[in-house]
Amino acid sequence: AYSFHDMECIRWSLSVLGRCGMEKLYGNTNNYALEEEVDARVQVAESHVNGIVDYSLWFFICHWLYQRYFGDESYLWQEWPLLETRLVNLIQWCSDKNKGRFIEHESEWIFIDWTVEGDKSIPLQILWWWALDCAHDLAKSMLLVATGD
């Protein structure tokens, strides 16, 4: 889709994938309010994009790439509540607050297939950093990041 400059295909793909699993957190609704409580860590694990941890990380990277190549600000504003909710859930439940590392949980599926078999920790940390960096850039582009921070 990127190769053929097919914005609509990318938008649909990101929209559909981004909503996969969200019903595990909030039921069948499009109201992704941050104020709602998440009952259990299990719900977050089951809410990953397509049920896969690294897909949830790629989700932010792909949104950033889409904005980089197409600059579709209206789409970013439309999708921001979902992006923000996914980001807050990942930070809340999957991040080591002291070290900033992504916490791997045995019950979660990590699909990374481009590393030495069995050791997915380092690539997962790289994706975590890249996803956070992309999410930061997206928020910054929307003037949601406070100046001076």
Side-chain angles (χ1 to χ4, degrees):
Y2 286 97
S3 298
F4 298 106
H5 207 265
D6 190 344
M7 290 175 63
E8 196 63 27
C9 178
I10 298 167
R11 286 173 64 125
W12 274 104
S13 297
L14 289 173
S15 294
V16 171
L17 283 172
R19 284 156 179 78
C20 290
M22 289 304 288
E23 72 280 357
K24 301 290 186 179
L25 290 174
Y26 301 107
N28 292 322
T29 178
N30 284 330
N31 182 18
Y32 306 118
L34 293 175
E35 296 82 31
E36 295 187 38
E37 283 295 315
V38 177
D39 293 332
R41 170 78 189 89
V42 173
Q43 289 177 298
V44 176
E46 292 176 355
S47 74
H48 287 300
V49 173
N50 266 6
I52 304 170
V53 174
D54 38 317
Y55 281 20
S56 289
L57 302 178
W58 278 111
F59 180 66
F60 297 100
I61 297 164
C62 290
H63 265 280
W64 178 81
L65 287 169
Y66 176 74
Q67 290 303 318
R68 178 181 179 190
Y69 292 114
F70 298 105
D72 188 353
E73 293 174 1
S74 65
Y75 182 68
L76 180 57
W77 280 98
Q78 172 190 315
E79 295 298 299
W80 183 253
L82 177 64
L83 284 160
E84 185 178 29
T85 300
R86 283 202 172 277
L87 182 62
V88 167
N89 283 320
L90 284 172
I91 291 171
Q92 180 180 5
W93 295 104
C94 302
S95 178
D96 180 325
K97 310 295 186 284
N98 296 321
K99 297 181 181 177
R101 292 186 41 142
F102 191 88
I103 301 169
E104 299 174 59
H105 297 277
E106 289 183 24
S107 63
E108 296 177 333
W109 182 16
I110 300 172
F111 183 73
I112 296 172
D113 62 351
W114 40 269
T115 184
V116 177
E117 192 168 325
D119 186 14
K120 298 179 180 184
S121 180
I122 293 172
L124 187 64
Q125 299 308 320
I126 292 168
L127 281 177
W128 176 233
W129 170 82
W130 194 12
L132 289 175
D133 193 51
C134 289
H136 174 265
D137 285 351
L138 291 169
K140 190 175 176 181
S141 73
M142 294 179 56
L143 304 175
L144 294 176
V145 175
T147 57
D149 285 359

